[in-house]
Amino acid sequence: MPSLRMPEPHRAILPIELWLEIMTHMPTSSIQAMTYTCSSLRWLAQPLLFKIFTIRVDNLSHNSATGRRDFHPASSLVRLAAFQLPHIAKAMTEIRLIPSTFLEGHDSEQGPQTPQTTKTLLIDTLFSALPSLVNLQKFVCHDVVFTKHHLSALSRIPQLKELELQSCRTSCNPEDFPNFSSMPLETLVINYPFRTQSHYRNNRFLALLLQGRKLKRIFAGPANEILFAMTETPPPPTLSILEIPVSCVTSSLFIPALYGCSSVQELSLYMPTGDTYLPPLDQLPLDILPNLQSYHGPRTYAPLFTRDRFIRDVDFPLPAQPTDLCATIGTLTNGIESLSCRVDNLDGRLLQTIHNNFPSLKHLSISGAAVDIDRLSSVLSIAKVHRGLTSIQITVQTGVPRLTDSWGATVAKMFLSRLIRAYPILEHAKLVYQPQVSVVWNRPKEMKRATLNVDSSELRIEKQEASPTKTSAIWDMFRFRS
């Protein structure tokens, strides 16, 4: 068991703050290796390994894909001993509880306790410790039946900012629900399957989670349970972001639920994975969502949500034909500052329509159709020059960019030169070659507006790869040393 005080021998070698700054730039695997060097570095490094603590209750199966038999609930129960170590418990900022159904009829080789009993004990032990985790900010919970004890513990987590529930339910009577109004919760993620069973449907349980007076964002779906909860308990006036599936528009509770969200500024109507049906939406009361500023969803709904509202940002994630998109753009307000869309092919008339209808446009992102340099030149020659755009992102077709190669750098500069000619005050451009690889250009401060030439030193490759996990080590150590 690590000491609660740093052992003396290595204190004089380097200051603690310097060790922690070093660990801030290290991946998790390297931090773990440091715990095996000496007791002093173990005392410093071990808490950083528990910042994100995942607890799994997996199947004990001899025929599993991995062939492993050490993922029994009892092994996870042993790991919960870390909650008893104050210097580790105070370092935890995120806990993920991800149980799965144990295979019925399979004999346990871990002692007299049945797997279900061990699972219940594990979950109860975890929830008993939650109120003592003073720096816990995110809690992810899958397939858990909340008891009165669990709900009480959840309501008393002092710094919880984000809660994610995946197909959770409760066995507690509504009369025994605790008060959640004092929770510091800011983000609520509720994920329920499309065809949930009756025991999942507890509207008052979901409504309980809307009591927090600091709630800012709700993400719910793909089923429509959140609408029942929002009509039961309207969200607080702090709610600014609402993300719900498009299937919600077919519910009779859609309009009543939105009436209780007058403070919402960003609305997202997303299409769940695997869903292809886009239900019709013919009308929308004008007094709904009066403070809406950002719309993300199907283009066919956009005229209803942007009418008589000061909308700044519009995002159409579903692919569309240029002619259909032009028709939709013609119905939108001309005060839009940011537009993102997916098109089947890039058309000069589409770009011209965007320029003409949105004189205040500052950011434009067009994806879905990759263009080569000749196609881009043809499209830009049809559209008029837009003198307000400062940022653009387009998908290009030239292969994998290699800026060290003279040909690759020349092609990227050709794209950018044409974009700068069409958008004289452009400050930022992103050429997407592949979903994970882009060329990024930012205008240098010393570059004159009239200059059309781009230097290779101004370009950089941006790859969306999983970077090594880093920690805010110094900040955490100062917090849990007290």
Coordinates of all heavy atoms in Angstrom, one line a residue, residues 28-62:
T28 N 0.0 7.2 -20.5 CA -0.3 6.4 -19.3 C 0.6 5.2 -19.1 O 1.0 4.9 -18.0 CB -1.8 5.8 -19.5 OG1 -2.7 7.0 -19.7 CG2 -2.2 5.0 -18.3
S29 N 1.1 4.6 -20.2 CA 2.0 3.4 -20.1 C 3.3 3.8 -19.4 O 3.8 3.0 -18.6 CB 2.2 2.8 -21.5 OG 2.8 3.8 -22.4
S30 N 3.8 5.0 -19.7 CA 5.0 5.4 -19.1 C 4.8 5.8 -17.6 O 5.7 5.5 -16.8 CB 5.6 6.6 -19.8 OG 5.9 6.3 -21.2
I31 N 3.6 6.4 -17.3 CA 3.3 6.7 -15.9 C 3.3 5.4 -15.1 O 3.7 5.3 -14.0 CB 2.0 7.5 -15.8 CG1 2.2 8.8 -16.5 CG2 1.6 7.6 -14.3 CD1 0.9 9.7 -16.5
Q32 N 2.6 4.3 -15.7 CA 2.6 3.1 -15.0 C 3.9 2.5 -14.8 O 4.2 1.9 -13.7 CB 1.7 2.1 -15.9 CG 1.5 0.7 -15.2 CD 0.5 -0.1 -16.0 OE1 0.2 0.2 -17.1 NE2 0.2 -1.3 -15.4
A33 N 4.8 2.6 -15.7 CA 6.2 2.1 -15.6 C 6.9 2.8 -14.4 O 7.7 2.2 -13.7 CB 7.0 2.3 -16.9
M34 N 6.6 4.1 -14.2 CA 7.3 4.8 -13.1 C 6.9 4.3 -11.8 O 7.7 4.4 -10.8 CB 6.9 6.3 -13.2 CG 7.6 7.1 -14.4 SD 7.3 8.9 -14.3 CE 8.2 9.3 -12.8
T35 N 5.7 3.7 -11.7 CA 5.3 3.2 -10.4 C 6.1 2.0 -9.9 O 6.1 1.7 -8.7 CB 3.8 2.8 -10.4 OG1 3.6 1.7 -11.3 CG2 2.9 4.0 -10.8
Y36 N 6.9 1.4 -10.8 CA 7.7 0.2 -10.5 C 9.1 0.6 -10.2 O 9.9 -0.3 -9.9 CB 7.6 -0.8 -11.6 CG 6.3 -1.3 -12.0 CD1 5.8 -1.1 -13.3 CD2 5.5 -1.9 -11.0 CE1 4.5 -1.6 -13.6 CE2 4.2 -2.4 -11.4 CZ 3.7 -2.2 -12.7 OH 2.5 -2.7 -13.0
T37 N 9.5 1.9 -10.2 CA 10.9 2.3 -10.0 C 11.2 2.4 -8.5 O 12.2 1.8 -8.1 CB 11.1 3.6 -10.7 OG1 10.2 4.6 -10.2 CG2 11.0 3.4 -12.2
C38 N 10.5 3.1 -7.8 CA 10.8 3.3 -6.3 C 9.5 3.8 -5.6 O 8.5 4.2 -6.3 CB 11.9 4.3 -6.1 SG 11.5 6.0 -6.6
S39 N 9.5 3.8 -4.3 CA 8.3 4.1 -3.5 C 8.0 5.6 -3.7 O 6.8 6.0 -3.7 CB 8.6 3.8 -2.1 OG 9.7 4.5 -1.6
S40 N 9.0 6.5 -3.9 CA 8.7 7.9 -4.0 C 8.0 8.2 -5.3 O 7.0 8.9 -5.3 CB 10.0 8.7 -4.0 OG 10.7 8.5 -2.8
L41 N 8.5 7.7 -6.4 CA 7.8 7.9 -7.7 C 6.5 7.2 -7.8 O 5.5 7.6 -8.4 CB 8.7 7.5 -8.9 CG 9.9 8.3 -9.1 CD1 10.8 7.9 -10.3 CD2 9.6 9.8 -9.3
R42 N 6.4 6.0 -7.1 CA 5.1 5.3 -7.0 C 4.1 6.2 -6.3 O 2.9 6.3 -6.7 CB 5.2 4.0 -6.3 CG 3.9 3.2 -6.1 CD 4.2 2.0 -5.3 NE 2.9 1.2 -5.1 CZ 2.4 0.4 -5.9 NH1 3.0 0.1 -7.1 NH2 1.3 -0.2 -5.6
W43 N 4.5 6.9 -5.2 CA 3.5 7.8 -4.5 C 3.1 8.9 -5.4 O 1.9 9.3 -5.3 CB 4.3 8.3 -3.3 CG 3.5 9.2 -2.4 CD1 2.7 8.8 -1.3 CD2 3.3 10.6 -2.5 NE1 2.1 9.9 -0.8 CE2 2.4 11.0 -1.5 CE3 3.8 11.6 -3.3 CZ2 2.0 12.3 -1.2 CZ3 3.4 12.9 -3.1 CH2 2.6 13.3 -2.1
L44 N 3.9 9.4 -6.3 CA 3.5 10.5 -7.2 C 2.7 10.0 -8.4 O 1.7 10.7 -8.8 CB 4.8 11.2 -7.7 CG 5.5 12.2 -6.7 CD1 6.8 12.7 -7.4 CD2 4.6 13.3 -6.3
A45 N 3.1 8.9 -9.0 CA 2.6 8.5 -10.3 C 1.3 7.7 -10.1 O 0.4 7.8 -11.0 CB 3.6 7.7 -11.0
Q46 N 1.2 6.9 -9.1 CA 0.0 6.0 -9.0 C -1.3 6.6 -9.0 O -2.2 6.2 -9.8 CB 0.2 5.1 -7.8 CG -0.9 3.9 -7.7 CD -0.7 3.1 -6.5 OE1 -0.5 3.6 -5.4 NE2 -0.8 1.8 -6.7
P47 N -1.5 7.8 -8.3 CA -2.9 8.4 -8.4 C -3.2 8.8 -9.8 O -4.4 8.9 -10.1 CB -2.7 9.6 -7.5 CG -1.6 9.2 -6.5 CD -0.7 8.4 -7.3
L48 N -2.3 9.2 -10.6 CA -2.6 9.6 -12.0 C -3.1 8.5 -12.9 O -3.8 8.8 -13.9 CB -1.3 10.2 -12.6 CG -0.7 11.3 -11.8 CD1 0.6 11.8 -12.6 CD2 -1.6 12.5 -11.6
L49 N -2.9 7.3 -12.5 CA -3.4 6.1 -13.2 C -4.9 5.9 -13.0 O -5.6 5.1 -13.7 CB -2.6 4.9 -12.9 CG -1.1 4.9 -13.2 CD1 -0.5 3.6 -12.7 CD2 -0.9 5.0 -14.7
F50 N -5.4 6.6 -11.9 CA -6.8 6.4 -11.5 C -7.7 7.6 -11.9 O -8.8 7.6 -11.4 CB -6.9 6.1 -10.0 CG -6.4 4.7 -9.6 CD1 -5.0 4.5 -9.4 CD2 -7.3 3.6 -9.5 CE1 -4.6 3.3 -9.1 CE2 -6.8 2.4 -9.2 CZ -5.4 2.2 -8.9
K51 N -7.2 8.5 -12.7 CA -8.0 9.6 -13.1 C -9.3 9.2 -13.8 O -10.3 9.7 -13.5 CB -7.2 10.6 -14.0 CG -6.2 11.4 -13.2 CD -5.4 12.3 -14.2 CE -6.3 13.3 -14.9 NZ -6.8 14.3 -14.0
I52 N -9.1 8.2 -14.7 CA -10.3 7.6 -15.3 C -10.3 6.1 -14.9 O -9.4 5.3 -15.2 CB -10.1 7.7 -16.9 CG1 -10.1 9.2 -17.3 CG2 -11.3 7.0 -17.5 CD1 -9.9 9.3 -18.8
F53 N -11.3 5.8 -14.1 CA -11.4 4.5 -13.5 C -12.5 3.7 -14.1 O -13.7 4.1 -13.9 CB -11.6 4.7 -12.0 CG -11.4 3.4 -11.2 CD1 -10.3 2.6 -11.2 CD2 -12.5 3.0 -10.3 CE1 -10.1 1.5 -10.5 CE2 -12.3 1.8 -9.6 CZ -11.2 1.1 -9.7
T54 N -12.2 2.6 -14.8 CA -13.3 1.8 -15.5 C -13.5 0.5 -14.7 O -12.5 -0.2 -14.4 CB -12.8 1.5 -16.9 OG1 -12.6 2.7 -17.6 CG2 -13.9 0.7 -17.6
I55 N -14.7 0.2 -14.4 CA -15.1 -1.0 -13.7 C -16.0 -1.8 -14.6 O -17.1 -1.4 -15.0 CB -15.9 -0.6 -12.4 CG1 -15.0 0.3 -11.5 CG2 -16.2 -1.9 -11.6 CD1 -15.8 0.9 -10.4
R56 N -15.6 -3.0 -14.9 CA -16.3 -3.9 -15.8 C -16.8 -5.1 -15.0 O -16.1 -5.7 -14.2 CB -15.5 -4.4 -17.0 CG -15.1 -3.2 -17.9 CD -14.3 -3.8 -19.1 NE -14.0 -2.7 -20.0 CZ -14.7 -2.3 -21.0 NH1 -15.9 -2.9 -21.2 NH2 -14.3 -1.3 -21.8
V57 N -18.1 -5.5 -15.3 CA -18.6 -6.8 -14.8 C -18.9 -7.6 -16.0 O -20.0 -7.6 -16.6 CB -19.9 -6.5 -14.0 CG1 -20.4 -7.8 -13.4 CG2 -19.6 -5.5 -12.9
D58 N -17.9 -8.3 -16.5 CA -18.0 -9.1 -17.7 C -18.4 -10.5 -17.5 O -18.4 -11.0 -16.4 CB -16.6 -9.0 -18.5 CG -16.3 -7.6 -18.9 OD1 -17.0 -7.1 -19.9 OD2 -15.4 -7.0 -18.3
N59 N -18.7 -11.1 -18.6 CA -19.1 -12.6 -18.6 C -17.9 -13.5 -18.3 O -16.8 -13.3 -18.8 CB -19.6 -13.0 -19.9 CG -20.9 -12.3 -20.2 OD1 -21.6 -11.8 -19.3 ND2 -21.3 -12.2 -21.5
L60 N -18.1 -14.4 -17.4 CA -17.1 -15.5 -17.2 C -17.4 -16.6 -18.2 O -18.2 -17.5 -17.9 CB -17.2 -16.0 -15.7 CG -16.3 -17.1 -15.3 CD1 -14.8 -16.6 -15.5 CD2 -16.5 -17.6 -13.9
S61 N -16.7 -16.6 -19.3 CA -17.0 -17.5 -20.3 C -15.7 -18.2 -20.8 O -14.8 -17.5 -21.1 CB -17.7 -16.8 -21.5 OG -17.8 -17.7 -22.6
H62 N -15.8 -19.5 -20.8 CA -14.6 -20.2 -21.3 C -14.5 -20.1 -22.8 O -13.4 -20.3 -23.4 CB -14.7 -21.7 -20.9 CG -14.7 -22.0 -19.5 ND1 -13.5 -21.9 -18.8 CD2 -15.6 -22.3 -18.6 CE1 -13.7 -22.2 -17.5 NE2 -15.0 -22.4 -17.4

